[in-house]
Amino acid sequence: MSTPAPRITVRGDCPPATEDAVRAALADGPADASRVAALVDLPGHFVVTAEFPDRDLIVASRSGAVAHYYDTVTSRAHGASVTDVLTLAGRAPRWNAPALADHLVHGHPLGDATLDREILRVPAGAVVTMSRLRADLVTVPPLMREPGPPTVAARTALVALRAAVRDAARIPCALSMSGGLDARLLLAALLADGIKPRLLISGVAGSFDRTVALAIARDFGLPHQVHVVSESALMASAKGITAASDGLLPISNWAGMAHVAEAGGTEPVLFGYHGELARAYHLPAVGRRAFLWATRPAAQAPARLLERAGGHPFLPDERDRLAGELREALEPEALMERIRAALPVGAMRGTLLGASEAFFRTQYGHRKIAANLAAIGTFSRWRVPLFAPDWSDAVQAMPRDWKLGDRWHRWAIGLLCPALLRYPEERYGATTSRRPPLRFWLRGPALPSTPFYVDQAPLRSRSELLASLADTDASALAPLLDPDLVGELVRAQTGTSPRSHLCFALSALVGWSRIAAARP
């Protein structure tokens, strides 16, 4: 008797050739993890699930841009969100205090942990086999590459960038455009290949990003749309993005992406996510201090990363209102120990810059940006060329000189489309220099002189949005903290001591817990 063909589901950005290869590899019947391990390094950003009569197979691509979750207790319960897994398991969330603590500090959980203590995220570059009795995880080691001389590494990154952008723009596309260097880098690569994308621009009048992006669109004759995200749009989308991101995407963060939802169109949208990997994003220093700190031992990384994140999110007089488990998880040593455990093997044996890059790629990229993409994916086909493993590997191989002060971005834009350097650089000058400006080394960036591109009024004033969040029943968080604390923090947003991340992170978790508990 022949084995029934598996039911195969592909999510994310999976090029046709990759999808064909995956389906061919799985079509012959049940396959073990070792046999399909090579699939994780195929081009694209995807998760593939194959349902066989006696087991399920989950293949997560190397980039980590697409999340998938599985229950470690319930047989064959897995899905695109923690909420989906809870639905299959037939239960409400079981709070994971350490993961919640990390989310409140860093903006995302660490490692493979989720807000439910029995549900894990499938790691990037891994295969999970789920049978009736257990779940077996195989993490496929990444290919090892020799970094080569600095100029070679920089040019290798440029070649990888152009290949990734060509793949992302294999059909007509749009670009989420700002005035920043990540967006300009993608546009430079597109223009170098003769591709003129539609630009999706967000920002209030007078904001830097809107002003520069509009000037670029007009000067280059690019089709474009401009959106100012309204309070009503934020309120209308709050429940959907909370469900899609499992409560990890606060509405204050969503405000910077919602313009894409309003833009319409059917073409894929390119985002500059993950470009910060080449810009020493998590190194907690700038200028000359960054140059010196970059070569410090990686053993300092947990303390420095925690310092950069801002430390304890609650004020001393609020901490007695936390459950003991959450209070303990927020202790500095506990936070630092989880940072150590989350970093890849070997990251703690190098430099502070190397460890901070590893943290950005494996934690911020795989957890925070992936949550953003899960929400964006509910209304748009996203493309993230700067998640490409070949580009990321080449960037991490470059020496510090190419990363500090955005040097590699400047160099690459100057080669691909030097005209894009004629536009202002926020907080540095009227044009964008080809090398890190002197101010970066001596004083760092100037204070902002233009409005923030997102309208802050609904998030800072006595708005209908804040009023609705303040009145939300937060009793679902009672196992972890005093529910009344959530409303007090929201109301404080209109006072003198707003704490935006904590306020909106807790509000999103309240919304998610209600959604998850209500699912059948």
Side-chain angles (χ1 to χ4, degrees):
M1 181 181 293
S2 62
T3 303
R7 180 187 175 200
I8 298 175
T9 303
V10 181
R11 295 191 300 107
D13 173 20
C14 190
T18 293
E19 183 167 346
D20 290 345
V22 169
R23 291 185 180 275
L26 300 176
D28 296 335
D32 58 31
S34 59
R35 183 177 140 201
V36 299
L39 299 179
V40 306
D41 285 308
L42 291 175
H45 315 278
F46 57 86
V47 164
V48 176
T49 60
E51 299 176 29
F52 298 94
D54 62 339
R55 75 189 79 173
D56 292 347
L57 200 67
I58 307 164
V59 181
S61 68
R62 178 73 63 194
S63 77
V66 183
H68 200 83
Y69 304 91
Y70 65 102
D71 196 320
T72 58
V73 175
T74 306
S75 172
R76 299 177 74 173
H78 60 90
S81 68
V82 173
T83 311
D84 290 344
V85 179
L86 290 171
T87 300
L88 291 172
R91 63 175 177 83
R94 295 168 182 162
W95 290 106
N96 181 347
L100 176 60
D102 292 331
H103 173 55
L104 295 179
V105 170
H106 301 286
H108 49 84
L110 299 184
D112 304 330
T114 72
L115 298 177
D116 185 283
R117 61 177 178 266
E118 292 172 358
I119 297 176
L120 297 177
R121 186 189 195 271
V122 179
V127 180
V128 174
T129 305
M130 299 192 75
S131 64
R132 185 175 63 83
L133 298 178
R134 63 183 187 179
D136 294 319
L137 169 67
V138 174
T139 302
V140 183
L143 300 173
M144 300 303 295
R145 297 182 176 89
E146 290 297 326
T151 303
V152 171
R155 291 197 173 273
T156 299
L158 183 64
V159 170
L161 165 75
R162 299 198 67 180
V165 171
R166 287 188 189 113
D167 178 69
R170 56 187 179 269
I171 61 175
C173 63
L175 171 64
S176 179
M177 188 66 191
S178 69
L181 293 183
D182 293 326
R184 280 195 245 181
L185 178 67
L186 293 187
L187 181 58
L190 290 166
L191 294 174
D193 279 344
I195 300 170
K196 303 187 81 173
R198 180 170 68 112
L199 302 187
L200 308 181
I201 301 169
S202 176
V204 299
S207 63
F208 173 85
D209 285 305
R210 173 171 166 165
T211 301
V212 173
L214 262 177
I216 290 172
R218 290 166 178 163
D219 292 348
F220 283 82
L222 300 174
H224 59 277
Q225 291 177 271
V226 180
H227 294 272
V228 178
V229 178
S230 65
E231 179 180 356
S232 60
L234 289 178
M235 294 182 68
S237 59
K239 185 175 181 179
I241 64 106
T242 296
S245 67
D246 293 321
L248 297 181
L249 180 56
I251 200 166
S252 52
N253 289 172
W254 174 246
M257 312 168 211
H259 66 287
V260 179
E262 299 180 1
T266 59
E267 74 270 57
V269 181
L270 274 65
F271 292 86
Y273 286 141
H274 212 246
E276 302 95 331
L277 182 65
R279 298 165 57 195
Y281 181 78
H282 267 88
L283 187 66
V286 296
R288 288 176 294 179
R289 192 167 70 144
F291 186 82
L292 297 174
W293 281 31
T295 55
R296 287 186 175 185
Q300 296 184 13
R304 295 303 182 187
L305 289 167
L306 185 57
E307 175 187 315
R308 183 190 181 281
H312 205 299
F314 293 96
L315 300 177
D317 61 351
E318 296 167 344
R319 296 172 193 175
D320 288 339
R321 301 170 69 180
L322 308 179
E325 189 179 10
L326 179 58
R327 196 162 53 243
E328 291 172 7
L330 284 166
E331 288 295 323
E333 188 50 50
L335 289 163
M336 288 191 289
E337 183 54 40
R338 291 195 297 276
I339 292 173
R340 293 186 193 99
L343 285 169
V345 174
M348 292 295 290
R349 295 196 292 268
T351 64
L352 178 58
L353 176 59
S356 68
E357 289 175 347
F359 186 86
F360 174 86
R361 183 176 180 180
T362 64
Q363 307 307 311
Y364 187 89
H366 295 175
R367 305 308 307 268
K368 169 61 179 166
I369 299 178
N372 295 355
L373 295 175
I376 291 170
T378 62
F379 59 81
S380 176
R381 290 181 293 161
W382 49 259
R383 296 290 184 265
V384 283
L386 300 179
F387 257 93
D390 285 350
W391 182 80
S392 299
D393 291 345
V395 163
Q396 286 190 273
M398 292 191 305
R400 62 177 174 173
D401 297 7
W402 280 92
K403 301 167 189 177
L404 301 181
D406 306 327
R407 180 184 169 189
W408 186 85
H409 276 61
R410 301 169 189 278
W411 172 80
I413 294 169
L415 284 178
L416 296 172
C417 185
L420 287 174
L421 296 176
R422 294 200 306 253
Y423 298 90
E425 182 177 5
E426 188 173 26
R427 303 169 69 180
Y428 278 110
T431 60
T432 301
S433 61
R434 287 178 175 264
R435 295 182 69 86
L438 186 62
R439 183 180 184 115
F440 169 79
W441 300 110
L442 299 181
R443 292 184 290 170
L447 293 174
S449 59
T450 58
F452 189 58
Y453 77 103
V454 173
D455 183 7
Q456 295 290 288
L459 307 175
R460 299 282 187 179
S461 62
R462 298 185 184 279
S463 64
E464 184 181 354
L465 172 61
L466 282 179
S468 68
L469 294 178
D471 293 338
T472 300
D473 178 9
S475 58
L477 298 185
L480 295 166
L481 51 80
D482 179 356
D484 292 339
L485 184 56
V486 178
E488 293 172 19
L489 287 166
V490 173
R491 283 185 284 273
Q493 279 295 103
T494 63
T496 57
S497 301
R499 281 174 283 164
S500 297
H501 172 66
L502 181 60
C503 159
F504 293 114
L506 289 174
S507 296
L509 293 173
V510 169
W512 173 72
S513 62
R514 291 161 63 89
I515 293 169
R519 293 282 284 267

